[in-house]
Amino acid sequence: MILDGKTVSEKRLELLKEEIGESGLYPRLATVIVGNDPASQMYVRMKHRACERVGIGSIGIEIPSDTTTEKILESIAKLNRDTDINGILLQLPLPGQIDTDRVINAVKTEKDVDGFHPTNLGLLMSGKPLFSPCTPKGIMNLLADYRIPVAGARVVIAGRSIDVGRPMAALMTNADATITICHSRTRDLPAELRNADILISAVGKAHFITPEMVKPGAVVIDVGINQLNGKLVGDVDFDAVKEVASAITPVPGGVGPMTIATLMENTFFAATRMS
Ligand code: NAD
């Protein structure tokens, strides 16, 4: 079974559009992008397009790459104060000279629709999330839509970043799964991955996950976005692994659209809390 994130996300966006319409609110998202990395620019454009589609206003703050941490902090402070702005999305990564942690920590918790602020990550860890990071939350929503049971399942996650691996583990823990997090220092990664009922890969290496690493019948979630011979591919060798897995997300059209839909949902949630 192909887990069609594109279709599920469209369904969720339609539902959200109705909810926003009925709420009488006009949620607004501000995106902050530093520099002109083409991939980041493309992600931000996609987010603005999704906003337009569901009835969320959006503004884009563009800051040149030769900026300073202080200048970005000033922009964030302004957005924090602006009562017309409900959500702030800081497009990562930031240029090397910037203190990324300081900038993330400056985003007001109530507007932190990406869920990367330590307070939001802490709330998630404590089992009482306010805003959860969009990619792992989107994956939970995708699994729920396909009625794939998570409680009691053995979930193995490859990757321990704060945007995917770590919050994914927390969300899965909160949903009663049994979790293993793997990373670059994991001994015998294939053996760990073969234990998975649900295997989630967020490593960022094309065709990294091969059929030998997948238990027959496992659900495979591919978070990776990689370029291979001019084509967009995930971490999973899709054609080979789909023969072993019971369900698998494609790249593109799997996790990516779910991430954007979740950002829209988080922004509306922020607006309802502020109203
Ligand atoms: P990251 O670079 O911060 O983290 C990569 C992780 O992979 C690290 O924790 C590292 O320990 C682990 N890793 C590296 N080599 C490994 C190995 N040989 N064995 C096991 N683990 C290994 O990356 P990230 O931000 O988590 O992103 C990962 C991938 O997911 C990237 O391709 C990124 O573009 C993609 N991504 C997609 C979405 C989406 O919406 N689809 C969102 C975020 C990230």
Side-chain angles (χ1 to χ4, degrees):
M1 179 166 62
I2 305 296
L3 302 174
D4 181 354
K6 191 160 190 319
T7 302
V8 175
S9 68
E10 301 217 327
K11 196 167 75 182
R12 293 186 74 95
L13 288 175
E14 276 312 304
L15 212 68
L16 182 65
K17 186 179 173 181
E18 274 172 36
E19 273 183 67
I20 293 175
E22 285 164 11
S23 73
L25 296 173
Y26 183 48
R28 286 183 192 79
L29 174 73
T31 62
V32 178
I33 181 167
V34 184
N36 43 18
D37 171 60
S40 292
Q41 284 176 327
M42 185 185 73
Y43 294 142
V44 167
R45 267 200 308 277
M46 286 162 79
K47 290 163 188 175
H48 283 274
R49 232 178 284 143
C51 283
E52 206 173 304
R53 178 164 167 197
V54 297
I56 292 177
S58 65
I59 63 160
I61 311 287
E62 293 174 16
I63 303 174
S65 60
D66 62 352
T67 188
T68 60
T69 301
E70 301 304 328
K71 286 225 173 83
I72 304 175
L73 290 175
E74 274 170 33
S75 295
I76 299 285
K78 225 161 122 187
L79 295 171
N80 281 342
R81 282 193 303 269
D82 188 339
T83 50
D84 282 342
I85 297 293
N86 306 111
I88 300 172
L89 177 124
L90 178 68
Q91 187 65 40
L92 300 176
L94 299 176
Q97 81 275 16
I98 303 299
D99 184 341
T100 299
D101 285 342
R102 264 186 83 198
V103 180
I104 290 175
N105 294 0
V107 175
K108 202 173 176 181
T109 318
E110 291 80 5
K111 299 189 179 189
D112 176 37
V113 287
D114 242 346
F116 294 160
H117 191 284
T119 299
N120 277 319
L121 288 172
L123 287 169
L124 174 59
M125 282 302 289
S126 71
K128 299 176 191 70
L130 182 63
F131 293 104
S132 300
C134 301
T135 299
K137 182 80 190 295
I139 291 171
M140 298 305 288
N141 290 339
L142 184 64
L143 292 170
D145 194 273
Y146 280 92
R147 297 187 198 289
I148 293 172
V150 168
R154 239 176 236 281
V155 176
V156 183
I157 303 163
R160 58 177 163 183
S161 68
I162 68 145
D163 54 326
V164 191
R166 288 169 199 248
M168 186 81 251
L171 282 164
M172 282 291 184
T173 304
N174 296 346
D176 299 326
T178 302
I179 325 296
T180 304
I181 302 195
C182 302
H183 44 77
S184 51
R185 303 287 293 273
T186 295
R187 254 184 263 139
D188 200 355
L189 180 75
E192 296 292 346
L193 296 178
R194 274 195 302 272
N195 282 326
D197 300 318
I198 301 175
L199 188 166
I200 301 172
S201 181
V203 169
K205 292 185 177 158
H207 290 184
F208 181 72
I209 305 289
T210 55
E212 304 75 55
M213 301 176 181
V214 179
K215 182 169 80 175
V219 173
V220 177
I221 306 291
D222 191 352
V223 183
I225 301 176
N226 312 292
Q227 291 284 342
L228 186 70
N229 307 324
K231 251 183 75 184
L232 202 67
V233 299
D235 288 348
V236 177
D237 183 354
F238 181 85
D239 288 332
V241 171
K242 79 177 191 318
E243 303 301 327
V244 186
S246 63
I248 183 167
T249 58
V251 177
V255 173
M258 293 303 298
T259 299
I260 295 184
T262 306
L263 175 67
M264 299 299 114
E265 290 164 350
N266 280 357
T267 304
F268 177 53
F269 177 57
T272 58
R273 291 188 76 249
M274 284 172 72
S275 68

